[in-house]
Amino acid sequence: MAPDDSAGAPPACGICAIIDRITSGAFADLVAELPRSWLILGDAQFYRGYCVLFAKRHITEMHLMPRGEAHELLDEMLAVGKTLERVVKPQKLNYECLGNQEPHVHWHVFPRYAEDPMRLAPVWLRSEHERKVALPDDDRRELIRALRTDLVRVLPTARFP
Ligand SMILES: [Zn+2]
């Protein structure tokens, strides 16, 4: 066991730390619990509806998951894509599974809009300052509600706090 896995120490993985906050009920931007993942509203709402899907367990690569588990996670990601398409009506969705900073499988799902002058560029080329826009609280709650309402139709196993 690595030293940071000792009892009481915070998890070394930033995503496992967020999952700890989610499971203790201390994460306001949780959208849904899915069988293989947690879905949150991301912190870059310049891309309205931007969500992040975290694999429930700590694993560094999709190919290290048993095949059935990886496929179930991908099905959940596809359901999130369908929901975002219907709820926020983007021109295009960008799916990214990077993990360079946090090597815990997670998918960024970015809605892209026609009026974005940088719509042909990867989202990461926009400055963090411009990207990381928070929605007003009412709007954020309403968006989460709309995502949940749609998602449970696509994926009846979705659970909400
Ligand atoms: Zn982790």
Side-chain angles (χ1 to χ4, degrees):
M1 184 185 276
D4 357 44
D5 291 337
S6 58
C13 167
I15 290 176
C16 285
I18 295 173
I19 291 173
D20 280 354
R21 285 172 56 208
I22 291 171
T23 54
S24 67
F27 195 82
D29 290 330
L30 176 64
V31 178
E33 176 179 8
L34 306 176
R36 293 293 181 190
S37 61
W38 295 98
L39 180 67
I40 67 158
L41 195 66
D43 62 0
Q45 292 299 314
F46 174 86
Y47 302 103
R48 182 179 172 77
Y50 162 56
C51 283
V52 191
L53 190 73
F54 300 131
K56 269 192 175 164
R57 67 184 180 103
H58 185 90
I59 193 157
T60 56
E61 301 290 353
M62 290 288 291
H63 70 263
L64 297 176
M65 291 179 170
R67 190 161 179 266
E69 183 180 335
H71 285 192
E72 286 168 20
L73 181 64
L74 287 172
D75 280 343
E76 291 171 10
M77 190 196 56
L78 299 179
V80 169
K82 279 184 189 167
T83 283
L84 282 170
E85 186 168 82
R86 287 197 290 247
V87 173
V88 296
K89 301 178 173 54
Q91 181 181 55
K92 182 73 187 76
L93 288 171
N94 289 170
Y95 299 90
E96 294 193 86
C97 183
L98 301 170
N100 303 321
Q101 293 181 28
E102 293 291 356
H104 172 137
V105 167
H106 61 287
W107 286 87
H108 299 271
V109 189
F110 282 101
R112 304 298 303 267
Y113 297 95
E115 58 274 20
D116 177 1
M118 292 175 70
R119 70 187 173 281
L120 300 181
V123 294
W124 312 105
L125 295 186
R126 184 178 304 281
S127 73
E128 186 168 313
H129 172 75
E130 250 190 285
R131 236 183 313 134
K132 293 201 172 175
V133 176
L135 297 174
D137 214 41
D138 285 0
D139 189 15
R140 185 181 63 82
R141 274 197 298 259
E142 179 54 30
L143 179 56
I144 289 175
R145 192 201 57 75
L147 293 171
R148 287 173 174 171
T149 303
D150 191 277
L151 187 59
V152 77
R153 288 187 200 134
V154 191
L155 206 64
T157 49
R159 294 285 172 269
F160 315 117

